[in-house]
């Protein structure tokens, strides 16, 4: 039932768009056939909403109509077909037929086969439309983002003439001219981006976010130099009066159904709701308006990019609290922004969003805005890949000749955003350390590496020194103080990134460490005879009269007793020394006496029991003969 209602509401919105925003203008470029004479002339072609049109330039080439794979839905390599330009030859422009697959896939296959551009011939008689791929899935997104050749749709009648001429053996040469695709009346370009704060809509959202991050630096240089006037816009729809009290409209709309957006996750039962997206869109519009009043309209780019990084839906941070932290970091008045936003629960029009709905309707040469994202340059809708290089080229083509700024003539872009309010990043003014870093894409907030010490944190509100050597840089962000030549610090090299007050102090270790009053807190000098005096970082204990304080035992003893004890100690040391000397002498005496006695005994025994080493003395005995 929920899915049915969701589909029904989306259908209603689609009908509303078709009925109230029915004027769709196709952005065209001039296509001129230079040969053969039978079809020579200028024709309209609708620029594709992907790839990179050569805004401000032109391309001359030869049209090729393949004998196989004429709709271009399969790889031309499978048929052994190549469109690579030979040395000295004109670029190859491939002609394929509409039908059976996405426009973008046809162009992608032509590009892979070596084509320099692609023409798609319509298969029905109808006014030209813009080739787009609004329902790309994950697989198609991989090649849509990588299409770099320009493409255009031509009507059926002209397509048949091209095919007939090529089949008849004629060499068809054409010229694609984008020099007038963007008007260039003066030295300032006005452009607008129709965008969305929703970051859960898949490939389109990811592509849009990446573009905003990449293009921010160039956009701010152009705006600060007065070369451009940029305006952000946001598409909203309204809920039919009959459904304003329904659960679906209440969850997707604000101001009683006047301003709505589809559910981010396409699930009414969980996650964020469409009205959350409408409110954030409104906040971003008001950030732009308030910043513009401060003559710093380029701050919108900082807010949007920082909000995408710090407040994503996936991390459940897509809310007012997170948005306010980003606004504060940029120095924009929050109260003025809230006043601009008004009351989203009021049963009345919101002036800002009402103006946005009116702006969606095309005026003059610009058609209605129905596709997100859409870029409009000098009131002409941009068609092509939403990428920094391609968009910058389109904007630069909108300047009157010879008035282009330097950024249009060089890719070397220096933003210097960190010079203004430190780019809204973390900064330690004491040690002159900052997380702001200028890049060709604009500033980024990343905790720095200083003298071999890595700072860690989010780069916006906090960065802390970590690891060995951290105490050398502003004392590791910890408390420290020096008195009477003695320095105390709450930073320890082995303490990670923590700050701990040294012994004798108490506090958070970061902003303060207070001296501990050991005397009043009964942490020292507790004996009855003791008197305590607190000093900075320590204490002194003393005893009254002739008493002497012993710190190890926290007690007082008599000086006489101490002196008597010392005398007796000396006597005992002497007696022990004498005893040890006497004992040593006695041992020596015993040793010498024993050796003397041993030698005497051996001499006596030798007379009666000759030793083995002595020669036996013969004994002369008479045998009885005379």
């Amino acid at each position: 039932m929920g899915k049915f209602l969701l589909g029904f509401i989306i259908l209603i919105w689609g009908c509303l768009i078709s009925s109230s925003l029915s004027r769709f203008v196709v952005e065209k470029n001039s296509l001129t056939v230079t040969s053969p004479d039978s079809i020579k002339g200028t024709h309209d072609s609708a620029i594709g909403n992907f790839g990179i049109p050569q805004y401000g330039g032109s391309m001359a080439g030869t049209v090729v109509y393949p004998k196989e794979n004429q709709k271009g839905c399969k790889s031309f390599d499978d048929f052994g077909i190549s469109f690579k330009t030979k040395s000295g030859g004109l670029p190859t422009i491939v002609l394929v037929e509409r039908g059976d697959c996405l426009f973008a896939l046809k162009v992608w296959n032509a590009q892979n086969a070596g084509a320099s551009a692609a023409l798609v011939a319509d298969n029905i008689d109808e006014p030209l439309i813009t080739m787009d791929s609004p329902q790309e899935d994950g697989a198609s997104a991989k090649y849509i983002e990588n299409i770099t050749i320009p493409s255009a749709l031509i009507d059926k009648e002209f397509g048949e003439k091209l095919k007939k001429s090529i089949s008849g053996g004629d060499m068809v040469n054409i010229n694609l001219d984008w020099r007038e695709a963007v008007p260039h009346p003066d030295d300032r370009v006005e452009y607008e981006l129709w965008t969305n704060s929703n970051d859960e809509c898949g490939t389109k959202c990811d592509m849009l976010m990446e573009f905003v991050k990449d293009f921010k630096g160039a956009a701010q240089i152009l705006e600060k130099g007065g070369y451009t006037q940029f305006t952000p816009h946001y598409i909203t729809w309204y809920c039919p009066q009959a459904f304003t009290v329904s659960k679906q409209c209440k969850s997707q709309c604000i101001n009683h159904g006047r301003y709505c957006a589809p559910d981010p996750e396409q699930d009414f039962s969980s996650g964020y709701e469409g009205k959350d997206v409408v409110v954030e869109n409104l906040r971003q519009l008001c950030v732009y308006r308030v910043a513009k009043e401060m003559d710093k309209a380029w701050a919108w780019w900082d807010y949007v990019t920082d909000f995408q990084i710090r407040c994503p839906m996936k991390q459940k941070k897509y809310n007012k609290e997170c948005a306010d932290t980003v606004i504060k970091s940029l120095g924009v008045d929050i109260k003025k922004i809230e006043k601009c936003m008004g009351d989203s629960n009021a049963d009345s029009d919101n002036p800002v969003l009402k103006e946005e709905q009116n702006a969606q309707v095309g005026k003059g040469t610009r058609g209605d805005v129905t596709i997100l994202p859409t870029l409009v340059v000098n009131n002409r809708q941009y068609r092509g890949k939403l990428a920094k290089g391609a968009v910058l080229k389109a904007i630069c083509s909108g300047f009157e000749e010879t008035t282009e700024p330097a950024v249009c003539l060089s890719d070397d872009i220096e933003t210097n955003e960190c010079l203004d309010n430190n780019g809204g990043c973390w900064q330690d003014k004491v040690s002159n350390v900052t997380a702001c870093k200028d890049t060709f894409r604009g500033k980024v907030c990343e905790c720095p590496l200083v003298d071999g010490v890595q700072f860690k944190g989010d780069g916006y509100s906090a960065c802390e020194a970590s690891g060995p050597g951290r105490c050398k840089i502003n004392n590791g962000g910890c408390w420290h103080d020096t008195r009477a030549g003695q320095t105390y610090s709450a930073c320890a090299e082995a303490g990670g990134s923590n700050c701990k007050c040294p012994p004798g102090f108490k506090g958070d270790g970061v902003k303060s460490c207070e001296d501990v009053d050991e005397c009043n807190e009964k942490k020292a000098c507790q004996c009855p005879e003791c008197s305590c005096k607190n000093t900075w970082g320590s204490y002194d204990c003393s005893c009254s009269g002739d008493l002497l304080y012993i710190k190890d035992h926290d007690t007082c003893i008599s000086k006489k007793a101490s002196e008597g004890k010392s005398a007796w100690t000396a006597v005992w040391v002497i007696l022990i020394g004498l005893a040890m000397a006497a004992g040593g002498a006695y041992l020596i005496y015993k040793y010498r006496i024993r050796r003397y006695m041993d030698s005497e005994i051996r001499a006596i025994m030798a007379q009666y029991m000759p030793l083995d080493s002595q020669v036996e003395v013969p004994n002369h005995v008479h045998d009885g003969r005379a």
Side-chain angles (χ1 to χ4, degrees):
M1 183 66 178
K3 292 183 178 179
F4 171 77
L5 288 174
L6 172 61
F8 180 74
I9 293 294
I10 293 176
L11 177 62
I12 289 293
W13 279 336
C15 292
L16 286 170
I17 294 171
S18 299
S19 60
S20 63
L21 304 176
S22 57
R23 190 174 157 278
F24 187 77
V25 176
V26 176
E27 305 304 325
K28 302 176 183 178
N29 67 291
S30 179
L31 188 159
T32 302
V33 179
T34 57
S35 67
D37 292 338
S38 58
I39 57 173
K40 191 174 181 179
T42 300
H43 304 267
D44 283 337
S45 62
I47 304 172
N49 202 27
F50 44 79
I52 303 177
Q54 302 300 316
Y55 281 100
S58 62
M59 175 189 294
T62 301
V63 180
V64 174
Y65 180 54
K67 294 181 179 180
E68 297 178 283
N69 194 28
Q70 293 178 338
K71 291 185 176 180
C73 293
K74 298 180 181 179
S75 173
F76 286 99
D77 290 341
D78 297 341
F79 300 89
I81 299 175
S82 174
F83 304 119
K84 292 182 180 179
T85 303
K86 296 180 180 180
S87 178
L90 288 173
T92 301
I93 301 173
V94 177
L95 174 66
V96 293
E97 298 177 2
R98 182 182 180 182
D100 293 352
C101 62
L102 295 173
F103 290 121
L105 181 58
K106 299 174 185 289
V107 179
W108 173 247
N109 288 333
Q111 175 179 303
N112 286 340
S116 298
L119 297 178
V120 179
D122 206 340
N123 56 0
I124 56 176
D125 290 317
E126 63 176 354
L128 289 176
I129 63 172
T130 296
M131 296 188 298
D132 191 31
S133 300
Q135 302 297 328
E136 69 266 30
D137 54 21
S140 61
K142 295 179 181 179
Y143 63 78
I144 291 175
E145 294 178 359
N146 295 309
I147 295 176
T148 57
I149 65 172
S151 61
L153 179 71
I154 59 177
D155 61 41
K156 182 181 179 181
E157 182 182 358
F158 178 50
E160 293 297 330
K161 290 180 180 180
L162 288 177
K163 288 187 285 186
K164 181 179 179 180
S165 183
I166 294 171
S167 300
D170 290 329
M171 182 178 180
V172 178
N173 292 333
I174 68 171
N175 186 59
L176 297 171
D177 193 344
W178 291 274
R179 287 175 293 182
E180 300 300 326
V182 176
H184 41 92
D186 51 34
D187 60 355
R188 191 182 77 167
V189 172
E190 298 178 3
Y191 72 105
E192 56 193 52
L193 177 64
W194 290 82
T195 180
N196 196 357
S197 64
N198 176 15
D199 60 12
E200 282 291 315
C201 64
T203 304
K204 285 281 187 182
C205 285
D206 295 340
M207 178 187 65
L208 176 59
M209 291 178 191
E210 192 64 28
F211 165 73
V212 172
K213 292 176 185 177
D214 287 350
F215 195 69
K216 181 180 72 169
Q220 291 183 324
I221 285 179
L222 291 169
E223 200 75 10
K224 290 177 182 179
Y227 300 110
T228 60
Q229 178 178 305
F230 167 74
T231 308
H233 288 292
Y234 296 80
I235 290 180
T236 61
W237 298 273
Y238 65 87
C239 187
Q241 184 65 36
F243 298 96
T244 54
V245 295
S246 68
K247 179 180 178 181
Q248 287 72 26
C249 276
K250 287 183 178 180
S251 66
Q252 312 308 305
C253 312
I254 65 173
N255 293 88
H256 290 248
R258 288 176 173 83
Y259 313 103
C260 312
D263 188 284
E265 301 90 357
Q266 299 297 304
D267 185 354
F268 289 121
S269 62
S270 64
Y272 288 98
E273 298 176 324
K275 64 181 180 182
D276 297 321
V277 176
V278 179
V279 170
E280 179 54 34
N281 289 348
L282 176 59
R283 181 179 290 109
Q284 294 187 6
L285 282 167
C286 288
V287 167
Y288 168 77
R289 292 193 173 203
V290 174
K292 188 177 181 180
E293 291 175 0
M294 300 167 61
D295 292 326
K296 49 184 299 186
W298 53 83
W300 177 88
W301 294 89
D302 287 322
Y303 174 81
V304 172
T305 52
D306 287 355
F307 183 82
Q308 290 172 359
I309 296 171
R310 302 174 68 178
C311 312
M313 287 183 175
K314 291 180 180 178
Q315 296 181 17
K316 306 301 181 183
K317 294 181 180 180
Y318 186 91
N319 52 46
K320 181 181 184 301
E321 290 73 21
C322 188
D324 286 347
T325 61
V326 179
I327 294 171
K328 289 179 181 177
S329 70
L330 299 177
V332 183
D333 194 328
I334 293 180
K335 292 184 178 179
K336 287 186 177 181
I337 292 174
E338 292 177 347
K339 182 179 179 181
C340 168
M341 293 178 65
D343 183 7
S344 61
N345 295 317
D347 188 6
S348 59
D349 287 334
N350 181 294
V352 177
L353 293 179
K354 185 66 176 178
E355 186 176 327
E356 289 297 292
Q357 285 186 341
N358 292 335
Q360 289 174 224
V361 181
K363 296 177 179 64
T365 58
R366 198 213 76 187
D368 300 335
V369 178
T370 58
I371 300 174
L372 277 177
T374 290
L375 185 73
V376 178
V377 182
N378 283 352
N379 205 38
R380 191 74 61 82
Q381 289 188 19
Y382 165 87
R383 299 302 183 194
K385 184 177 182 180
L386 198 65
K388 176 186 172 183
V391 170
L392 186 58
K393 191 167 186 177
I395 291 175
C396 290
S397 70
F399 290 102
E400 187 179 8
E401 292 183 10
T402 72
T403 67
E404 300 92 346
V407 69
C408 293
L409 308 175
S410 173
D411 292 333
D412 186 19
I413 298 173
E414 295 178 1
T415 59
N416 293 324
E417 291 181 67
C418 296
L419 297 179
D420 184 14
N421 194 33
N422 199 51
C425 305
W426 171 88
Q427 182 182 27
D428 186 348
K429 294 183 179 179
V430 176
S431 56
N432 195 28
V433 177
T434 175
C436 189
K437 180 181 179 182
D438 278 307
T439 71
F440 71 94
R441 292 183 176 181
K443 62 90 181 173
V444 293
C445 297
E446 295 178 352
C447 292
L449 176 68
V450 181
D451 295 334
V453 179
Q454 179 63 58
F455 284 72
K456 295 182 178 180
D458 62 7
Y460 292 94
S461 58
C463 286
E464 294 180 351
S466 177
R470 72 186 188 93
C471 296
K472 297 179 182 178
I473 302 177
N474 191 27
N475 204 59
C478 302
W479 170 91
H480 69 287
D481 202 352
T482 301
R483 292 187 187 180
Q486 183 70 28
T487 300
Y488 290 86
S489 171
C491 183
E493 294 288 355
S497 60
N498 296 325
C499 300
K500 185 178 181 181
C501 293
F505 294 86
K506 62 181 180 179
D508 61 9
V510 178
K511 295 182 179 179
S512 66
C513 284
E514 298 178 358
D515 179 30
V516 176
D517 192 341
E518 289 88 349
C519 300
N520 290 336
E521 295 184 12
K522 306 298 181 182
K523 293 184 177 181
C525 308
Q526 297 301 298
C527 58
E529 304 86 1
C530 298
S531 61
C532 185
K533 180 181 179 182
N534 193 65
T535 60
W536 193 67
S538 186
Y539 62 92
D540 288 328
C541 283
S542 60
C543 299
S544 59
D546 295 332
L547 299 178
L548 181 67
Y549 180 72
I550 305 300
K551 186 174 182 178
D552 292 339
H553 300 283
D554 193 27
T555 187
C556 292
I557 64 172
S558 172
K559 289 184 179 180
K560 293 182 179 180
S562 176
E563 292 173 357
K565 183 176 180 181
S566 299
W568 276 106
T569 301
V571 170
W572 277 107
V573 170
I574 294 172
L575 290 176
I576 293 172
L578 291 173
M580 291 178 67
Y586 176 74
L587 292 174
I588 293 172
Y589 170 76
K590 291 285 289 181
Y591 176 75
R592 295 190 64 184
I593 289 294
R594 182 164 185 163
R595 288 195 62 184
Y596 176 77
M597 289 181 66
D598 286 344
S599 63
E600 287 293 322
I601 293 171
R602 286 173 63 86
I604 295 171
M605 292 182 67
Q607 295 178 11
Y608 299 96
M609 299 175 65
L611 300 176
D612 294 339
S613 61
Q614 296 177 340
V615 180
E616 184 178 355
V617 180
N619 186 12
H620 302 282
V621 181
H622 296 282
D623 58 359
R625 291 180 293 180

